[in-house]
Amino acid sequence: MSAWNGGRPAGPVWIRLAARLLVPADRREFVTGDLLELHHRRVRGGGPLRATLRTIRDLIGSAVARGGRNLSPPPLRGGGSFIDDLRQDVRAAFRSVVREPGFTLVTVVTLALGVGSATAVFGIENRLVLRPLPGVVDPAGAAYLNFRVRDDPDRTDGQGITTVDVDALREGLDGAVGLASYGNTSWPVARGSERPLSADVRTVYGDFFEVLGARPAEGRLLRAADTDFSADARVAVLSESFRDRLFAPGEEVVGTTLLMNGQPVRVVGVVRAFRGTERGDDIDVWAPFHALAAVGGFDEARLLDRNSVMHDDFVLRLRAGVTAEEAEARIDAVLAGVGAEHPEQLDYLTGLSPALFPALTTPPMWRAPT
């Protein structure tokens, strides 16, 4: 219930403060009293929000109607009468809070929820969409690639291809500077006899770091040649944060040998600022794709099997002037050619629909192809 003062409702203190700023002194008491009474009736009839908006409109209208006079606070008179009145209004505000704690609590909670939810939504959008992918040079020229089912466009889960298919794409994509696939695993990593740390490992195949334009902080990064099955698979690149967990500041990193999943692996470099291919990633180690066999104990023959689907997430960099639609058409043509050479795979390969997501804005699984 609202308190009453001298036959009029006390009303919100903000009306008195606003009237002090907007209403001429000779009419202030009369206008303020009417506004308080009118605001009280409006609250009962239409609720506090609607009443507040209409009262603000009336206050501004009253000031404009009187020629805008006295729109600034009155000058200090008699040793600070304005400050004294303001102090009284503040005390009245606290008394109003004490009299109507429920309304005050609802107001504060509503504001907190509104501001908090807006901040949270912006934070998520900034992290997932607006903020550039850290450590990537010229993300506008790069793109995600994955494959959908052509006859089921509403199906959003990615479809995979074999290592042989990836090799065909790497050779046949005239519109792309480079193409690389990537996948995830987890291995324990230790220095000698020290207690191992669990590491998020990303295995890569192809021109991975070149496509993304990532740069080394120390040593070098993995090249396409490092991911060939004829190359030594026991090499790795560390993130800066994981290096700091394993090594002391200033300690030599490049060339050292770590135990990954119990296997000796040589560190060839540390990548600068790069955390992963997707927002929210915090990858610790990058290793060649065939390290899944040399380090992870996977059957190497299966990695190369014509019927073994092993790759479903890709990044590529388009040449200047090449559109996503042109690149997708070229991918279709390459896979159709592979299917013609392997008729048992033709239906599957021609049933795939390539989907490119330029500029690395959001990972493929977060949105449908455009």
Side-chain angles (χ1 to χ4, degrees):
M1 296 178 61
S2 299
W4 286 72
N5 183 13
R8 293 185 183 273
V13 174
W14 67 263
I15 293 180
R16 299 179 183 275
L17 293 174
R20 181 176 295 279
L21 296 175
L22 297 176
V23 180
D26 59 339
R27 301 288 294 171
R28 188 178 303 142
E29 182 176 354
F30 174 80
V31 171
T32 303
D34 285 350
L35 285 174
L36 289 170
E37 187 171 351
L38 186 59
H39 179 79
H40 177 72
R41 288 202 297 266
R42 286 171 173 169
V43 170
R44 295 177 62 184
L49 178 60
R50 185 177 179 184
T52 298
L53 294 176
R54 295 182 67 182
T55 301
I56 291 174
R57 181 199 63 187
D58 291 342
L59 273 166
I60 297 174
S62 176
V64 173
R66 298 207 172 260
R69 293 177 296 147
N70 204 33
L71 293 181
S72 59
L76 298 179
R77 300 186 303 273
S81 61
F82 173 70
I83 299 299
D84 292 338
D85 290 344
L86 183 61
R87 187 179 297 112
Q88 292 175 7
D89 289 337
V90 171
R91 285 199 295 266
F94 280 112
R95 287 197 295 270
S96 178
V97 169
V98 173
R99 283 195 302 267
E100 300 183 71
F103 177 77
T104 303
L105 178 62
V106 170
T107 302
V108 171
V109 170
T110 301
L111 287 172
L113 289 175
V115 173
S117 60
T119 303
V121 169
F122 175 77
I124 294 172
E125 183 177 4
N126 180 54
R127 182 175 177 84
L128 296 180
V129 179
L130 302 178
R131 189 169 58 187
L133 201 64
V136 175
V137 177
D138 186 26
Y144 293 113
L145 165 68
N146 76 335
F147 294 93
R148 307 295 172 89
V149 178
R150 192 178 302 278
D151 295 333
D152 189 5
D154 294 330
R155 184 174 173 180
T156 58
D157 59 313
Q159 304 299 299
I161 58 177
T162 69
T163 301
V164 177
D165 299 330
V166 178
D167 290 339
L169 286 176
R170 290 174 61 192
E171 293 176 4
L173 276 182
D174 298 332
V177 174
L179 170 75
S181 70
Y182 59 92
N184 297 320
T185 188
S186 179
W187 291 331
V189 177
R191 295 185 63 187
S193 60
E194 294 181 3
R195 183 174 180 176
L197 301 176
S198 178
D200 289 325
V201 180
R202 181 148 287 176
T203 57
V204 299
Y205 187 61
D207 309 317
F208 181 78
F209 287 109
E210 182 180 352
V211 165
L212 295 171
R215 295 172 177 171
E218 301 175 41
R220 67 173 182 87
L221 305 182
L222 296 178
R223 309 183 185 104
D226 292 311
T227 69
D228 289 343
F229 277 70
S230 59
D232 182 9
R234 293 182 174 87
V235 292
V237 168
L238 308 182
S239 70
E240 290 182 302
S241 61
F242 196 65
R243 174 203 58 191
D244 294 341
R245 293 172 62 189
L246 286 172
F247 297 88
E251 190 175 359
E252 185 67 29
V253 176
V254 175
T256 59
T257 298
L258 302 176
L259 288 178
M260 295 188 181
N261 202 36
Q263 300 297 318
V265 173
R266 179 169 53 91
V267 178
V268 297
V270 177
V271 63
R272 184 184 304 279
F274 186 65
R275 306 295 291 275
T277 48
E278 300 174 7
R279 287 166 178 80
D281 271 351
D282 194 6
I283 305 302
D284 301 312
V285 177
W286 287 265
F289 170 65
H290 58 306
L292 288 172
V295 178
F298 208 82
D299 181 9
E300 182 170 314
R302 186 178 172 189
L303 298 180
L304 293 166
D305 194 303
R306 171 72 257 178
N307 298 307
S308 183
V309 171
M310 299 299 301
H311 307 265
D312 54 13
D313 287 307
F314 305 85
V315 286
L316 59 82
R317 182 167 291 275
L318 299 176
R319 295 185 186 276
V322 177
T323 66
E325 291 76 15
E326 291 170 342
E328 289 173 352
R330 182 59 184 165
I331 292 169
D332 274 334
V334 171
L335 292 183
V338 174
E341 296 177 4
H342 301 274
E344 73 281 4
Q345 298 292 325
L346 180 61
D347 289 343
Y348 178 78
L349 292 175
T350 56
L352 297 177
S353 176
L356 264 69
F357 304 92
L360 305 181
T361 50
T362 54
M365 293 304 160
W366 284 73
R367 68 180 185 184
T370 56

